[in-house]
Amino acid sequence: MLLRAALELAAAHDLGEIADAVRRAARELTGADGVTFVLREGPLVHYVDEDAIAPLWKGMRFPATMCISGWAMLNRQAVVVEDVFADDRIPHDVYRPTFVKSLAMVPVRPEDPVAAIGAYWAHHHRATPDELRLVSALAGYAAVALENLRLVSDLREAVAARDTFLAIAAHELRTPLAALALQVGMAERRVSAPDAQLDGVRGALDRISRTVKRLGGLIEHLLDASMVGQHRIPLHRKEVDLAATVRDAAEALGDPAHADIRVEAASAVVGRWDAERIERAVYNLLANAVKFGSGRPIEIAVAAVNGMAQLTVHDRGIGIPPEAQARIFDRFARAVPTANYGGFGLGLWLTRQTVEAHGGTIAVASAPGEGATFTVRLPLAA
């Protein structure tokens, strides 16, 4: 019976198949009148499936601290109860409508439980060592099946994320390259014209320069993402004036985008940081505000507060839904459709990595249609 269950669990493709194999095998192995398969879901336990002579709790969720399956998982040990109504760990009111008189509960992966297998009897019965051994062996096979399921799910997500990223990368790089080719062709025609005028050539070269910088920025994002993804984010600290860095970024972004960027920084705010990474993080935050600010004024404030440098960037744009506010700091995460707004979905993630590498924090406060305020706090000393 155990070997057959192991083979079924090894071939399981989803949670339903795992639960089905576990409940049938557990009942056969123990001769119990009922069996449940219970998953842990944070502070709750979910009775996913059951095989019993009468209904138990299939589909129901309970606080882990208020039921015996939760007790087994929280305490990382199997539990045997010969009389459910004589044990204080049992919620008697929940058991009273059922046939259950005795039970055994075995956690799946005892070192870090993710589930539990419960066996129930309609008469007083104390689970034997052999019954516990068999259910524990079954729990071991179930643990491997659940881990395989998680790995397959992670792999599918990774493949989907890769395909999405490649599509975004191709789009983001193709657009400035096409513009660059047009601008180079235009500059060549103006230079080759008999009545070539330097002013027109200079204008074309300026546009080419801006496009090259944009391409360079996209490539820097990709290189940074590669380094951070390999857990390498070296910091070369020196004295950096955050107020001056913000003013420079605001000036660089404001003119090409015709954005109204207002900076409030009464004095220098100097700390020991990696200048290049802090500059890029500030630029990412400001560029994000310009992109999603709906053309309205952007307010930036820089100050030293209680030994910390504090930078706030406030826009009056489209805002961020509450459910997306934590996700926007993840790699390749996007709170808006790619078709409407460009970008790799790396800027805020890289900014968070840089801020946290310096021992700082980043947070956002926002509501849809009311803009967003990003707040960065950095220790002034290394």
Side-chain angles (χ1 to χ4, degrees), residues 173-197:
L173 293 172
R174 185 189 296 122
T175 301
L177 279 173
L180 186 60
L182 287 172
Q183 291 156 8
V184 169
M186 190 180 300
E188 287 176 341
R189 287 193 296 274
R190 285 178 175 171
V191 169
S192 303
D195 58 342
Q197 295 182 4

Side-chain angles (χ1 to χ4, degrees), residues 30-298:
T30 60
D33 297 306
V35 163
T36 59
F37 182 60
V38 191
L39 278 185
R40 186 173 181 182
E41 297 179 351
L44 302 177
V45 292
H46 178 199
Y47 283 72
V48 174
D49 206 352
E50 63 187 32
D51 185 348
I53 59 174
L56 291 170
W57 309 284
K58 182 176 179 178
M60 300 179 70
R61 288 174 172 83
F62 302 97
T65 55
M66 295 179 63
C67 60
I68 198 67
S69 60
W71 190 96
M73 286 187 265
L74 293 172
N75 289 274
R76 303 178 182 181
Q77 65 184 65
V79 58
V80 174
V81 178
E82 190 171 354
D83 184 352
V84 296
F85 297 106
D87 195 307
D88 292 338
R89 296 170 296 182
I90 304 290
H92 298 158
D93 290 343
V94 175
Y95 277 71
R96 202 162 275 119
T98 72
F99 66 84
V100 179
K101 298 292 189 295
S102 304
L103 65 82
M105 190 68 64
V106 176
V108 173
R109 201 176 71 185
E111 66 278 7
D112 185 18
V114 293
I117 301 170
Y120 308 88
W121 288 268
H123 57 280
H124 288 295
H125 171 80
R126 184 168 186 83
T128 67
D130 277 349
E131 288 168 346
L132 288 177
R133 178 174 56 82
L134 289 169
V135 176
S136 295
L138 178 64
Y141 293 128
V144 174
L146 288 170
E147 180 64 13
N148 287 342
L149 192 64
R150 185 189 67 81
L151 291 173
V152 169
S153 176
D154 288 350
L155 180 59
R156 286 173 178 160
E157 289 180 6
V159 170
R162 181 206 63 185
D163 292 344
T164 300
F165 168 72
L166 290 175
I168 293 171
H171 172 76
E172 288 296 314
L173 293 172
R174 185 189 296 122
T175 301
L177 279 173
L180 186 60
L182 287 172
Q183 291 156 8
V184 169
M186 190 180 300
E188 287 176 341
R189 287 193 296 274
R190 285 178 175 171
V191 169
S192 303
D195 58 342
Q197 295 182 4
L198 266 149
D199 288 342
V201 174
R202 285 196 189 98
L205 290 175
D206 285 342
R207 289 190 292 274
I208 290 170
S209 177
R210 286 198 296 271
T211 305
V212 168
K213 285 180 180 177
R214 183 184 170 195
L215 278 169
L218 291 171
I219 292 167
E220 287 297 327
H221 267 127
L222 293 176
L223 291 174
D224 269 1
S226 173
M227 291 182 69
V228 175
Q230 298 172 39
H231 306 290
R232 293 186 295 115
I233 185 164
L235 299 179
H236 305 287
R237 294 179 185 265
K238 64 179 183 179
E239 286 196 349
V240 179
D241 182 355
L242 184 61
T245 301
V246 169
R247 290 192 192 96
D248 290 345
E251 184 177 347
L253 278 165
D255 289 342
H258 304 292
D260 182 3
I261 302 177
R262 304 167 185 178
V263 179
E264 181 184 338
S267 58
V269 179
V270 179
R272 288 195 58 78
W273 307 306
D274 185 308
E276 185 176 336
R277 294 192 178 280
I278 291 297
E279 286 169 9
R280 204 168 297 156
V282 168
Y283 187 90
N284 285 340
L285 282 175
L286 270 61
N288 187 76
V290 170
K291 182 189 293 186
F292 300 107
S294 302
R296 300 188 181 104
I298 296 165

